[in-house]
Amino acid sequence: MPDRVPGPQTPGQAAPPPVREPGVGKADPPAPRTPPDAATGPSGGPLAGAGAAQARVGLLVTLILGGLTALPPLSMDMYLPALPQVTDALSAPAATVQLTLTACLAGMAVGQLVVGPMSDRWGRRRPLLAGMLVYVLATAVCAFAPSAELLIAFRLLQGLAGAAGIVIARAVVRDLYDGVEMARFFSTLMLISGAAPIVAPLIGGQILRLTDWRGVFLVLTGVGVLLTLVVWKWLGETLPAERRHSGGVGAALRTMRGLLADRVFAGYMLTGGFAFAALFAYISASPFVMQEIYGASPQTFSLLFGLNSVGLVLLGQVNGKLLVGRVSLDKVLGIGLAVITAAALFLLLATAGVFGELGLLPVAAGLFVLMSAMGLALPNTNAQALMRTPHAAGSASALLGTSSFLVGAVASPLVGIAGEATAVPMAVVQLVCGAGALVCFLGLCRPWRTATAKAADPA
């Protein structure tokens, strides 16, 4: 397979500049790339007002992109404490109610394949606003769904529309940054978006003290409206017209085929997908594992879930502030994947009774380690993959997101395959996914070859 992704085959379009090998070290950090119109507002005016400091613009864009990447965990995690209540209210089995998570996840996967190429052709702003509007409408309908089947259907639509925020946020980062700076920015986004899973279950648990599960969707509707207004008013276009791709569906498919033909890009894509599936197995199973099997209250579950998210955020910041630029991204990624796999193996042994009858604390500790290691794996996977695709950031972002959400959607129902009385299926899925991520990373990305090439030619 080729070592580089071919550029778009648009007549008259110049070939993209060569892509540097990922895993940039301390000696050669690329500077941030700011397109000429990166700071423009809805009508082409300055994003943060004439004469505003670049730092202020950067902070504003960071907060907006953080909000967009936080919306999916808000949509998922605020709803988690209510899953047992939804099961009772709609008289549906737990496996059916878990499909409301799977449907949302599958919608986000498919939606990214559509929105990503659209954003490469028409820019980032218009597809993002359209997706946000549909998200608000679908979420409002979820609040009044009378049956599990209708709730599943509109959760699917919610995911399809919410995909716009995920894929376009990553594409905007690729528009603005490169190399080490991009990896650092992804870690900064994790600090912002990581706050969502910390506060979302806490908010969800408190909402359930005041109202029922439908109130959770009403709050999500309000969040969607607010974020849509913020995007409309303050997020400018980051993809100049001269860098957009012409062509229809055929051109988009050719671009994606070229991306998938790149062995290293495909390796990072699959690595990130399996790692995300291990994370989503936890998200999908933890409400039942902690509350039904280990007896935690909704409030205790929310606190534990938030603590795990704190671990993920802290390791993400260690990655961005201390490791990036000093240690190769591949080395940090490999360590993160190894820790994820080891933690999943411990959880399997613990939940299978190898260590005797364990209570909530050891299992919660294993989940904390697994979740924290995601802070080393996920940002570096995205950064390494997107470094190879400056000419098709939207399509590349779509493939990265779609692979993650599709594998996660498959993993979700498997965690409940043995019923609600055992946590072994959750641990099995996490171990298989962690090991799969390691195999893809070592077998396809082959990080030792990158290190050898850099040692031979440091420039």
Side-chain angles (χ1 to χ4, degrees):
M1 293 186 183
D3 278 345
R4 291 291 182 272
V5 183
Q9 303 300 314
T10 304
Q13 181 172 349
V19 184
R20 291 184 59 88
E21 197 70 44
V24 182
K26 181 179 180 180
D28 186 22
R33 297 185 301 111
T34 305
D37 60 348
T40 57
S43 59
L47 177 65
Q54 184 66 35
R56 181 182 171 192
V57 175
L59 177 61
L60 183 59
V61 171
T62 300
L63 292 174
I64 294 173
L65 296 181
L68 291 173
T69 56
L71 192 59
L74 280 176
S75 301
M76 294 286 183
D77 301 341
M78 193 182 296
Y79 172 64
L80 290 180
L83 283 178
Q85 189 182 107
V86 175
T87 300
D88 295 335
L90 299 182
S91 301
T96 300
V97 173
Q98 282 180 325
L99 285 177
T100 63
L101 292 175
T102 303
C104 186
L105 198 65
M108 289 179 182
V110 176
Q112 290 183 71
L113 286 177
V114 177
V115 177
M118 286 174 59
S119 74
D120 282 338
R121 182 178 183 184
W122 289 304
R124 314 300 186 200
R125 182 177 164 77
R126 285 185 291 173
L128 177 57
L129 285 172
M132 293 300 300
L133 288 173
V134 177
Y135 172 88
V136 168
L137 294 175
T139 306
V141 174
C142 286
F144 301 100
S147 67
E149 292 74 19
L150 194 62
L151 181 60
I152 291 170
F154 278 92
R155 285 283 279 176
L156 177 65
L157 181 59
Q158 183 191 42
L160 286 167
I166 307 169
V167 68
I168 291 178
R170 274 197 304 263
V172 168
V173 173
R174 187 62 186 92
D175 292 340
L176 298 176
Y177 295 94
D178 201 356
V180 168
E181 291 300 325
M182 180 165 58
R184 287 198 177 107
F185 195 90
F186 274 123
S187 293
T188 301
L189 281 187
M190 181 165 286
L191 174 62
I192 300 172
S193 61
I198 294 173
V199 301
L202 297 174
I203 295 173
Q206 296 307 311
I207 290 173
L208 294 179
R209 296 170 68 97
L210 303 175
T211 180
D212 61 6
W213 62 272
R214 299 181 188 275
V216 174
F217 284 106
L218 290 177
V219 172
L220 285 172
T221 302
V223 171
V225 170
L226 178 61
L227 190 54
T228 302
L229 293 175
V230 169
V231 168
W232 175 78
K233 185 170 179 61
W234 283 301
L235 183 63
E237 182 58 65
T238 62
L239 186 67
E242 62 270 17
R243 289 175 52 201
R244 298 177 190 176
H245 297 179
S246 58
V249 175
L253 292 177
R254 285 193 297 273
T255 299
M256 289 187 175
R257 184 175 59 193
L259 293 169
L260 293 174
D262 177 18
R263 169 181 52 79
V264 180
F265 174 84
Y268 286 120
M269 179 188 74
L270 291 173
T271 298
F274 278 114
F276 183 84
L279 182 151
F280 196 76
Y282 160 75
I283 291 175
S284 181
S286 59
F288 297 98
V289 169
M290 292 192 176
Q291 295 181 77
E292 302 296 331
I293 298 176
Y294 292 101
S297 67
Q299 287 69 37
T300 300
F301 162 71
S302 299
L303 288 172
L304 290 173
F305 196 94
L307 181 63
N308 291 340
S309 300
V310 169
L312 187 151
V313 170
L314 288 178
L315 263 291
Q317 294 315 294
V318 169
N319 175 68
K321 305 298 184 184
L322 300 179
L323 300 179
V324 170
R326 295 179 175 86
V327 183
S328 76
L329 301 185
D330 277 333
K331 184 176 292 186
V332 178
L333 173 56
I335 292 172
L337 294 175
V339 174
I340 289 170
T341 306
L345 177 60
F346 167 78
L347 286 169
L348 176 58
L349 297 176
T351 56
V354 174
F355 305 128
E357 292 297 326
L358 298 180
L360 175 62
L361 186 58
V363 174
L367 290 172
F368 175 80
V369 172
L370 185 146
M371 284 289 291
S372 298
M374 293 290 175
L376 300 179
L378 297 181
N380 293 328
T381 301
N382 287 330
Q384 292 286 65
L386 288 173
M387 279 183 206
R388 304 180 65 85
T389 59
H391 60 281
S395 295
S397 178
L399 288 173
L400 290 173
T402 296
S403 62
S404 296
F405 283 100
L406 282 179
V407 179
V410 172
S412 173
L414 295 179
V415 300
I417 198 168
E420 302 175 29
T422 176
V424 169
M426 177 192 73
V428 169
V429 171
Q430 290 173 329
L431 180 58
V432 170
C433 291
L438 267 176
V439 169
C440 291
F441 176 59
L442 297 175
L444 296 176
C445 303
R446 301 175 188 175
W448 61 87
R449 292 193 175 185
T450 299
T452 302
K454 286 187 176 297
D457 182 15

